[in-house]
Amino acid sequence: MEAGRSKLIVVGCGGVGLALLEQIALLEKQDKHSVAVVAVIDSKHALCSGIPEGRQLTADTLYEIISCKRQGKDLGSVKRVDRGEFNFHENGAEMLKTLVNSCEEFRHSRLIFADCTASDSTAAVLLEAVQNGAGIALANKKPITGPYDVYTALTQQGKSFRAESTCGAGMPLIATVTRLVRSGDKISKMAGALSGTLGYVMSGLEDGKAFSQVVREAKAAGYTEPDPRDDLSGTDVARKALILARLQGWRLELADVTVESLFPTEMGPDSMPLNNFMNEGLLALDAPIAKRVEEAAASDGALRYAATVQDGKCTVGLVVVPKQSALGQLRGTDNLLEVCSGCYNPNPLVLQGRGAGTETTASGILADILELDDCLPPVPEPEPEPACDNCFYGFVL
Ligand SMILES: NC(=O)c1ccc[n+]([C@@H]2O[C@H](COP(=O)([O-])OP(=O)(O)OC[C@H]3O[C@@H](n4cnc5c(N)ncnc54)[C@H](OP(=O)(O)O)[C@@H]3O)[C@@H](O)[C@H]2O)c1
């Protein structure tokens, strides 16, 4: 392994984590060496090669990990291939803690942690890692949508923190908003469709389909979470809205975001089993949602499930937007963000593209990791051997 390459610890190897490993392995195979993966951790176990000596999990080992996990096997079944060397650890959480503790000792090893979990338990350990001089790249929104103090502590080391994939997957929403804020352009409003699932549902409603029909179609097509209420509740969009608000320095908490859920509390997962919701609950929602669609059409507008970040407030829910606006024209699962600012006025800056999918998200986090690799302090050159009495600038006299 080349000296000086950053060492990557991938935390979480589900859809996004495995797509990330696949993209890194492909680069290795093409001799376009990026970072060196030295550990892979899931909710139970860990595989780890050498830190700080610089061994890495080879591309063949990464493919072996991908194959095992995609077959539903655990990390313990990964076989050693070619020169791949690693240690298997029964307790992934413990191994993660050990690696984080090693950051300070091996500060010059340039460690980067990529959080590809959906867990809220990683924030504390990531905070320690960033304070110990490691780089952090997130696909997981939870560490930066918890308490504001944790958010600031994680992000204040701007050079060692990236989270582009937490909002809009691989689309550069965070980078764009950060550039505007840093350059002093005053953002007056951001409005966006930040859920591919809800975008699909809104397009179906616009085409005259019943809410129950379009939600069932979305579930069958794999666009929703296993329980579609995880999407329909709006909580995931609320986290994205909060991230956009915090980029502007707004001291808001998740509880401050006003969220309109597309189902009432009595149809929530704590009160109604999934089957009942799919078969009966959804049908009861058809009429009230069809009424909202009709009202929007009557005012020559389009009904969208949008996040609005304006005047110090975040709201998430159904809104009627002008049909000719970028949001009004949006169809299908794409994400879209309109940013109105001093410079982008009266026409907003509009970013649109695929806002979900494991490959897009993984390529976003890989781009973050490569940026961190550029930013982390270089590995110091080894101290030169002290000259002996008989040497003069390296020449033996
Ligand atoms: N999928 C997308 O299109 C997309 C788009 C944008 C952002 N994201 C975000 O990316 C993250 C990952 O999404 P995903 O679809 O890959 O999820 P996923 O398939 O559910 O994978 C989650 C992975 O995290 C592991 N994990 C859970 N808790 C852990 C812990 N405490 N320590 C270490 N590993 C842990 C799981 O381990 P096991 O394998 O042992 O279960 C699993 O490997 C989520 O936060 C999601 O919101 C996803």
Side-chain angles (χ1 to χ4, degrees):
M1 188 177 78
E2 287 163 45
R5 279 171 71 189
S6 294
K7 298 177 179 66
L8 181 68
I9 291 126
V10 178
V11 188
C13 45
V16 173
L18 294 178
L20 172 65
L21 293 178
E22 200 163 31
Q23 291 175 11
I24 294 173
L26 187 64
L27 288 175
E28 282 289 318
K29 286 280 180 193
Q30 295 170 342
D31 278 333
K32 294 178 193 153
H33 303 291
S34 53
V35 284
V37 180
V38 292
V40 174
I41 299 172
D42 66 16
S43 67
K44 298 177 203 76
H45 306 125
L47 290 182
C48 185
S49 66
I51 294 178
E53 29 333 359
R55 272 185 291 126
Q56 70 180 91
L57 299 172
T58 62
D60 289 330
T61 305
L62 298 183
Y63 283 126
E64 183 67 13
I65 293 171
I66 295 162
S67 163
C68 280
K69 286 292 292 182
R70 284 196 179 143
Q71 289 173 54
K73 298 182 191 162
D74 70 33
L75 288 175
S77 31
V78 176
K79 303 253 170 356
R80 281 179 170 73
V81 278
D82 67 32
R83 60 192 169 82
E85 280 181 63
F86 52 79
N87 298 313
F88 172 70
H89 299 268
E90 284 285 352
N91 188 331
E94 214 164 73
M95 190 62 218
L96 178 59
K97 194 89 185 102
T98 307
L99 289 166
V100 167
N101 291 338
S102 74
C103 293
E104 182 136 50
E105 191 180 342
F106 305 128
R107 187 170 278 264
H108 298 306
S109 295
R110 295 159 57 94
L111 299 185
I112 299 175
F113 291 78
D115 184 352
C116 302
T117 74
S119 166
D120 45 20
S121 71
T122 54
V125 83
L126 292 177
L127 188 54
E128 217 174 304
V130 89
Q131 283 162 351
N132 285 351
I136 303 291
L138 305 180
N140 182 9
K141 290 172 270 299
K142 290 183 179 155
I144 47 168
T145 52
Y148 188 80
D149 291 344
V150 174
Y151 167 80
T152 39
L154 274 171
T155 56
Q156 69 190 356
Q157 307 285 343
K159 284 194 169 167
S160 39
F161 181 86
R162 293 287 185 284
E164 191 58 71
S165 301
T166 55
C167 188
M171 264 205 289
L173 300 188
I174 290 180
T176 304
V177 173
T178 304
R179 281 171 69 90
L180 297 183
V181 171
R182 286 190 73 191
S183 65
D185 188 9
K186 192 155 173 25
I187 296 175
S188 52
K189 178 178 176 181
M190 285 189 267
L194 301 174
S195 157
T197 312
L198 294 172
Y200 181 91
V201 170
M202 290 301 127
S203 293
L205 293 174
E206 211 165 26
D207 293 342
K209 291 181 184 169
F211 183 64
S212 55
Q213 181 192 350
V214 75
V215 172
R216 284 180 195 143
E217 276 176 18
K219 181 166 162 57
Y223 292 140
T224 67
E225 292 295 328
D227 184 339
R229 287 172 292 189
D230 289 346
D231 302 290
L232 301 175
S233 69
T235 310
D236 193 58
V237 180
R239 287 190 190 276
K240 294 174 185 175
L242 181 65
I243 291 169
L244 293 173
R246 285 179 167 180
L247 288 177
Q248 297 176 83
W250 297 359
R251 204 186 165 90
L252 292 182
E253 300 293 346
L254 193 57
D256 297 323
V257 182
T258 308
V259 189
E260 178 185 9
S261 166
L262 292 182
F263 57 87
T265 324
E266 60 271 21
M267 288 190 197
D270 294 337
S271 319
M272 190 181 265
L274 177 59
N275 266 349
N276 293 21
F277 176 73
M278 293 306 292
N279 296 327
E280 298 142 34
L282 278 176
L283 289 175
L285 298 171
D286 281 348
I289 290 186
K291 189 162 173 268
R292 303 278 293 267
V293 178
E294 277 163 32
E295 283 166 0
S299 63
D300 208 21
L303 191 68
R304 294 287 175 262
Y305 194 91
T308 310
V309 179
Q310 187 177 21
D311 298 331
K313 292 195 191 92
C314 284
T315 47
V316 168
L318 291 172
V319 287
V320 180
V321 297
K323 234 181 196 152
Q324 295 316 316
S325 66
L327 257 179
Q329 295 283 308
L330 185 68
R331 302 274 311 157
T333 57
D334 266 7
N335 279 197
L336 185 145
L337 183 69
E338 294 177 349
V339 185
C340 303
S341 71
C343 293
Y344 294 95
N345 170 34
N347 294 329
L349 167 67
V350 178
L351 293 147
Q352 178 180 350
R354 196 168 180 181
T358 53
E359 269 143 49
T360 323
T361 309
S363 77
I365 197 167
L366 179 54
D368 277 354
I369 290 164
L370 297 177
E371 276 185 20
L372 288 173
D373 183 42
D374 291 340
C375 290
L376 289 175
V379 177
E381 292 291 326
E383 291 284 321
E385 291 287 319
C388 67
D389 288 348
N390 293 337
C391 293
F392 180 73
Y393 289 109
F395 295 102
V396 177
L397 298 174

